[in-house]
Each structure stands twice: as structure tokens, then as C-alpha cells.
Amino acid sequence: MTLQEYDYVRERPSKLAASCLLLALTMKNVGGWTPTLEHYSGYRSQDLHPLVKRLNFLLTYQPRDKLKAVRTKYSHRVFFEVAKMTPMDMMKLEETLKS
């Protein structure tokens, strides 16, 4: 989805990928940012928090009537229907990132 948004062009692809991973881990409640992830990505969890919040905001307030191809593609079970997942509540995300 970020490929369709000009606001994310200025972000490093590696930081964007790391932030997406952290958001996914948080949404699925399968763990946090480990020392191994920090070592191999080069990013500390705290460095990713602002971008993670922006990504969650994008998921929460995305226009549903435009650019449906990505949403349709990732709504298929081949892709585990990830487009159908509900975004995290912003307050809950903030709490989870702080802990």
C-alpha cells in the first residue's frame, strides 16, 4: 500500500520493511523486536515507532473506493487474507510499542 502513497517515498526501503514487520508482529501478537532483528536490520525498535504508527494510520484510514487492486489481491486466501485484518487501535498500539 505504501507504494501508492507519495508520503512514503522519502523513507528508506529497509526502514519501511522493518516497520512493516514490527507492525505485523504487534498486530498478530507473536512477539516484539528482538535483539536478532535489531542486529540484522540495523534499526532499534524505538527508531521504528513513528513509522509504525503512520503505517497503522494508513491501514485505518485508507480510502476504500480507490486503488482496489492491492486490497483485492491480498484479500485472497493464498496471501492469508491479510488485507482483511483489522488495524490496531492507535491507543493500544501506542501502549504495546512502549512496553
Side-chain angles (χ1 to χ4, degrees):
M1 291 180 58
T2 59
L3 293 174
Q4 302 169 21
E5 299 290 331
Y6 289 115
D7 294 341
Y8 294 92
V9 171
R10 66 177 180 257
E11 299 295 342
R12 288 187 200 160
S14 61
K15 188 173 185 179
L16 190 57
S19 298
C20 288
L21 178 58
L22 179 55
L23 179 58
L25 291 171
T26 307
M27 288 175 74
K28 296 296 280 180
N29 198 26
V30 292
W33 202 247
T34 65
T36 303
L37 289 170
E38 182 176 326
H39 173 76
Y40 285 107
S41 71
Y43 296 106
R44 296 178 315 133
S45 175
Q46 295 83 0
D47 299 336
L48 302 174
H49 289 181
L51 188 51
V52 168
K53 292 175 194 173
R54 284 180 49 215
L55 290 167
N56 193 61
F57 186 84
L58 176 66
L59 291 174
T60 304
Y61 297 106
Q62 61 183 313
R64 303 260 187 239
D65 57 334
K66 293 182 180 178
L67 306 169
K68 295 180 185 177
V70 172
R71 174 167 287 285
T72 303
K73 177 180 179 177
Y74 289 98
S75 292
H76 196 273
R77 71 174 189 224
V78 171
F79 296 103
F80 303 102
E81 300 177 333
V82 295
K84 294 180 181 179
M85 289 181 62
T86 54
M88 288 189 74
D89 176 67
M90 294 301 276
M91 298 301 275
K92 184 177 179 184
L93 177 62
E94 183 79 36
E95 278 179 26
T96 306
L97 291 174
K98 284 183 180 178
S99 61

